[in-house]
């Protein structure tokens, strides 16, 4: 039987957004085809919470590297993205957090549509929360109370619900694990009525130059599929601009330099927003008490620890005084990036040394915990440009990390709060021996 090559909608990219789009459209009665470069994979490595750290750097991620970053001693920084059906919802840590209501409200003001405000999105939030079966961790980790006391002692306030529009303070982490299993987008959203093509790379969007309308796609293997209605591009923040530029939509001068015929001169790939995470590691004073993953006593104390992330608390913080940094960056005091209330930094405490494979390899013995610190509301702006006309080659990724002083101050705010909690409080000192950086790295103390 000949394979069908014409559909109402063609969805390029079977990641989180692609799965949602394909499900909604196909369930509404349209014919839909999804094209995903990676495999369909529901192995234990993908589905188990404890295996999530092992996905970092695996073939199920794109494992991008940025270009040399001048504000990070010219280092190339890893930038991960899921390369499987479900995209990054199949490889992330499945934390479930919402922005501050002020962020959504600022977007609504910017586009002139109250549907994008926090209140306007309430029904959509509720629908997604129920679809994904969002839960709040209730595992009784032995460090839960000591860290509660350390956070309060360090001056951070408790927040009973960080997803109600005000995430500031520390709260119990909400998660997207159900009965100890991941809920990847391809399972959470019904794709039974869509046709899925995995291991399939979209080479180019076919566009009618006279009408500037997408009519189909060309695959890397030469096959062509037609769209009766629309082509929906859901290839993520890195691959989407690459595919658009390879298809003739992008900055004319840049496309000309690669010999690509320009269909539409647009600033595709410019104004890239990305935020960076840095992790601190701490050696436990009494690892024999079974306080972290790797200790034999840990599983005795927390028999259900395999059901989600080994985390109790997530912390969201504002920069105490944004004036010096915003002045240095030329940002008006009433900008949504700095106008209070705002969450500029976030961290959580993991009862395992996650986020650093070189350190992770030898220290998963119940002796260390870690605190990934994430900058929010990035001000630095970067770009995605083509390295070549080969769709299988990574584009040039330049996030321009920490170009803005506000981004640097956000990270400093998070680091200071973590060190204060762990090392300057009576509760923290009762469980932490010292900050211990990964091999070849120097302690920040």
């Amino acid at each position: 039987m000949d394979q069908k090559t014409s559909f109402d909608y063609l969805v390029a990219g079977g990641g989180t957004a692609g799965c949602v789009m394909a499900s909604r459209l196909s369930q509404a009665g349209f014919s839909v085809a999804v094209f995903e470069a990676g495999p369909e994979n529901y192995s234990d490595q993908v589905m188990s919470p404890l295996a999530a750290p092992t996905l970092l750097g695996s073939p199920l991620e794109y494992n991008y590297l940025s270009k040399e970053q001048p504000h990070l001693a010219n280092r190339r920084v890893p930038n991960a993205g899921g390369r499987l059906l479900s995209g990054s919802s199949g490889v992330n840590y499945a934390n479930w957090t919402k922005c501050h209501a002020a962020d959504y409200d600022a977007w609504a003001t910017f586009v002139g549509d109250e549907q994008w405000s926090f209140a306007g999105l309430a029904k959509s939030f509720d629908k997604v929360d129920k679809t994904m079966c969002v839960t709040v961790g209730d595992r009784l980790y032995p460090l839960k109370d000591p860290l509660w006391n350390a956070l309060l002692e360090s001056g951070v306030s408790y927040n009973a619900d960080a997803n109600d529009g005000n995430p500031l303070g520390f709260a119990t982490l909400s998660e997207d694990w159900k009965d100890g299993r991941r809920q990847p987008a391809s399972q959470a959203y019904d794709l039974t009525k869509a046709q899925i093509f995995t291991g399939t790379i979209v080479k180019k969007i076919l566009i009618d130059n006279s009408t500037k309308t997408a009519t189909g796609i060309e695959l890397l293997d030469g096959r062509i599929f037609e769209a009766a209605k629309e082509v929906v591009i859901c290839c993520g923040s890195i691959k989407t601009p690459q595919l658009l530029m390879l298809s003739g939509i992008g900055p004319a001068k840049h496309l000309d330099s690669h010999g690509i015929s320009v269909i539409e001169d647009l600033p595709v790939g410019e104004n890239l927003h990305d935020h960076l995470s840095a992790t601190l590691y701490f050696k436990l004073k009494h690892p024999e008490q079974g306080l972290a993953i790797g200790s034999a006593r840990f599983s005795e104390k927390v028999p259900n620890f395999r059901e989600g992330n080994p985390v109790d608390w997530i912390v969201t913080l504002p920069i105490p005084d944004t004036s010096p940094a915003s002045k240095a960056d030329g940002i008006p005091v009433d900008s949504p990036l700095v106008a209070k209330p705002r969450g500029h930094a976030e961290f959580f405490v993991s009862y395992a040394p996650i986020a650093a494979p070189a350190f992770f390899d030898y220290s998963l013995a119940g002796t260390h915990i870690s605190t990934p610190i994430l900058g929010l509301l990035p001000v630095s702006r970067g770009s995605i440009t083509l390295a070549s006309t080969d769709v299988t080659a990574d584009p040039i990724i330049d996030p321009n990390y920490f170009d803005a002083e506000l981004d640097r101050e956000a990270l400093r705010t998070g680091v200071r709060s973590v060190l204060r909690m762990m090392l300057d409080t009576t509760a923290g000192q009762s469980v932490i021996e010292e900050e211990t950086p990964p091999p070849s790295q120097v302690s920040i103390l």
Side-chain angles (χ1 to χ4, degrees):
M1 180 182 292
D2 292 338
Q3 185 181 68
K4 182 178 179 180
T5 58
S6 179
F7 296 81
D8 291 330
Y9 291 91
L10 304 178
V11 180
T16 306
C19 288
V20 175
M21 290 293 298
S23 176
R24 295 288 189 242
L25 290 168
S26 62
Q27 294 297 316
F30 298 105
S31 61
V32 179
V34 181
F35 303 88
E36 167 56 41
E40 184 172 11
N41 188 319
Y42 306 116
S43 66
D44 283 344
Q45 183 183 20
V46 171
M47 301 300 287
S48 168
L50 295 187
T54 70
L55 292 164
L56 187 66
S58 77
L60 295 175
E61 292 197 348
Y62 275 101
N63 301 308
Y64 301 117
L65 277 176
S66 74
K67 68 177 294 184
E68 291 82 0
Q69 295 298 288
H71 304 291
L72 292 171
N74 289 322
R75 284 179 290 165
R76 300 186 68 190
V77 179
N79 194 313
R83 192 179 187 276
L84 74 169
L85 187 65
S86 296
S88 294
S89 71
V91 296
N92 61 19
Y93 286 100
N95 296 343
W96 195 266
T97 57
K98 294 185 179 77
C99 304
H100 199 290
D103 293 324
Y104 298 98
D105 295 345
W107 299 337
T109 299
F110 182 76
V111 300
D113 187 346
E114 283 303 304
Q115 291 183 93
W116 291 102
S117 69
F118 189 81
L121 288 167
K123 290 183 179 179
S124 296
F125 287 145
D126 186 59
K127 187 175 183 179
V128 173
D129 288 349
K130 290 178 179 177
T131 299
M132 302 304 294
C133 298
V134 176
T135 60
V136 177
D138 59 356
R139 296 171 293 280
L140 301 177
Y141 294 112
L143 286 180
K144 182 174 186 176
D145 288 342
L147 292 182
W148 162 288
N149 292 328
L151 284 162
L152 289 176
E153 193 179 341
S154 68
V156 182
S157 300
Y158 173 66
N159 185 336
D161 184 359
N163 281 332
D164 70 349
N166 176 19
L168 300 180
F170 74 94
T172 304
L173 177 68
S174 295
E175 302 176 298
D176 182 24
W177 302 99
K178 181 181 180 181
D179 300 325
R181 305 294 283 176
R182 183 187 295 278
Q183 299 176 87
S186 58
Q187 289 192 337
Y189 290 86
D190 188 353
L191 295 176
T192 56
K193 293 184 179 181
Q195 188 160 345
I196 311 297
F197 296 86
T198 55
T200 306
I201 297 174
V202 177
K203 178 182 179 182
K204 184 179 182 181
I205 307 300
L206 302 177
I207 300 172
D208 184 329
N209 202 10
S210 62
T211 63
K212 304 298 176 68
T213 302
T215 60
I217 62 172
E218 180 183 349
L219 302 183
L220 186 62
D221 61 16
R223 284 181 292 165
I224 291 177
F225 288 78
E226 297 176 348
K229 292 186 177 293
E230 295 181 16
V231 176
V232 183
I233 307 176
C234 297
C235 298
S237 59
I238 306 297
K239 284 292 187 180
T240 291
Q242 180 188 32
L243 182 58
L244 285 170
M245 288 187 281
L246 291 175
S247 303
I249 301 175
K253 185 176 180 180
H254 181 56
L255 300 188
D256 286 339
S257 71
H258 287 279
I260 298 172
S261 298
V262 179
I263 293 176
E264 192 70 23
D265 180 12
L266 292 171
V268 173
E270 298 177 12
N271 202 32
L272 174 66
H273 302 34
D274 196 12
H275 53 181
L276 197 61
S277 174
T279 303
L280 299 181
Y281 302 88
F282 296 91
K283 185 177 182 180
L284 293 167
K285 187 172 289 186
H286 298 292
E288 74 282 356
Q289 294 178 358
L291 306 177
I293 287 182
S295 167
R297 294 194 62 195
F298 186 76
S299 58
E300 297 174 5
K301 290 192 170 187
V302 195
N304 61 342
F305 78 98
R306 293 178 177 83
E307 294 180 1
N309 290 305
V311 174
D312 282 311
W313 308 117
I314 185 165
V315 184
T316 306
L317 303 164
I319 294 174
D321 181 6
T322 60
S323 299
S326 59
K327 183 178 180 180
D329 293 329
I331 298 173
V333 293
D334 59 350
S335 166
L337 294 167
V338 295
K340 294 181 179 180
R342 276 296 184 274
H344 292 104
E346 175 186 278
F347 72 84
F348 60 88
V349 182
S350 172
Y351 306 132
I354 64 171
F359 188 51
F360 186 90
D361 285 346
Y362 72 85
S363 63
L364 194 62
T367 57
H368 288 77
I369 60 176
S370 56
T371 55
I373 305 162
L374 182 66
L376 306 176
L377 295 177
V379 176
S380 304
R381 298 292 181 258
S383 64
I384 303 290
T385 53
L386 296 174
S388 72
T389 56
D390 180 2
V391 70
T392 65
D394 292 343
I396 299 171
I397 304 168
D398 182 12
N400 198 22
Y401 290 127
F402 293 132
D403 177 61
E405 174 61 20
L406 200 66
D407 295 347
R408 298 191 287 270
E409 184 59 23
L411 186 65
R412 289 193 288 261
T413 296
V415 169
R416 289 167 182 148
S417 183
V418 169
L419 294 177
R420 194 160 50 241
M421 172 187 70
M422 295 293 195
L423 304 179
D424 292 345
T425 65
T426 302
Q429 292 170 359
S430 70
V431 294
I432 298 300
E433 181 172 313
E434 61 181 355
E435 188 245 340
T436 54
S440 79
Q441 302 298 312
V442 178
S443 172
I444 63 173
L445 298 178

